[in-house]
Amino acid sequence: MTPLHWKLVIDASDPHAQSAFWAAALGYLEEDHSAHITRLLDLGAAPPEVTVTVHDHPAWRDLAAVRHPDDPFEPASDVGLGRRILFQRVPERKSAKNRLHLDLHPAPNTREEEVGRLEGLGASVLRRVSEPGGSWVVMSDPEGNEFCVH
C-alpha cells in the first residue's frame, strides 16, 4: 500500500488568528491562497462573501492553513503538500479536553525559553508535569487548544 498523504485539521473560531499563531509558534509559513481565490472569483466559481481580506490580500473566510517551509507545495494555490495544518471555522467554541494534540520539541535545554516565547505569542501555561518518564509543560493556544512543550 502506498502511504497516504494527510493534514491535521483543527476547528477554530478565528482560523486566521490561529494560523498566524501556529505559523509563528512552529516557524511554518502561512499559506497565501490569494491567486487561486482571485482566479475563482474572476471565473464566478466562488462568491465574494466566502472571502475576507487578510494581510492585504483575499483569503477564504472560513479556512486558513500553515505549512512547513521545506515541504513541497502547489504553486498555483500555495497549498502545502507535506506537513500542513488547516484551521476551519466552526460555530461552537471548544468545550472539552483535546483528543489529539501537538507535542513541540525545542532544542535541548531551551524549554523554558520556548515556553516564554510561546506565551509572548498568546499561549498560556496550564500546568507543568514532572514524571519518572519525563517532564513537559502543558500549554494552550489562544483558543484554548492544549499542546505540550517537551
Side-chain angles (χ1 to χ4, degrees):
M1 179 179 151
T2 301
L4 297 174
H5 172 75
W6 60 274
K7 67 181 163 281
L8 178 63
V9 179
I10 299 177
D11 292 348
S13 296
D14 184 342
H16 298 284
Q18 285 293 89
S19 177
F21 170 81
W22 283 104
L26 298 173
Y28 275 35
L29 300 173
E30 289 184 75
E31 293 181 354
D32 175 1
H33 306 134
S34 60
H36 182 62
I37 291 169
T38 299
R39 194 168 36 259
L40 292 174
L41 290 170
D42 290 347
L43 292 170
E49 58 269 13
V50 301
T51 68
V52 294
T53 300
V54 177
H55 305 304
D56 297 322
H57 62 264
W60 297 117
R61 182 188 65 217
D62 296 330
L63 298 169
V66 299
R67 61 180 169 79
H68 192 284
D70 297 335
D71 287 352
F73 64 95
E74 172 56 48
S77 64
D78 202 43
V79 170
L81 303 172
R83 293 163 281 187
R84 182 174 189 242
I85 304 172
L86 175 70
F87 301 92
Q88 68 179 1
R89 186 181 313 278
V90 296
E92 66 277 356
R93 297 200 56 84
K94 181 181 172 298
S95 63
K97 184 182 181 313
N98 298 6
R99 298 283 302 203
L100 176 74
H101 68 268
L102 297 176
D103 277 358
L104 307 185
H105 296 272
N109 303 313
T110 64
R111 179 173 51 218
E112 290 309 313
E113 179 181 322
E114 185 65 14
V115 166
R117 186 183 77 82
L118 293 165
E119 285 179 309
L121 294 172
S124 301
V125 171
L126 298 177
R127 66 186 172 281
R128 295 176 184 279
V129 178
S130 183
E131 297 179 350
S135 62
W136 59 92
V137 179
V138 180
M139 300 187 76
S140 66
D141 72 15
E143 287 197 7
N145 300 300
E146 295 93 359
F147 65 97
C148 298
V149 181
H150 287 262

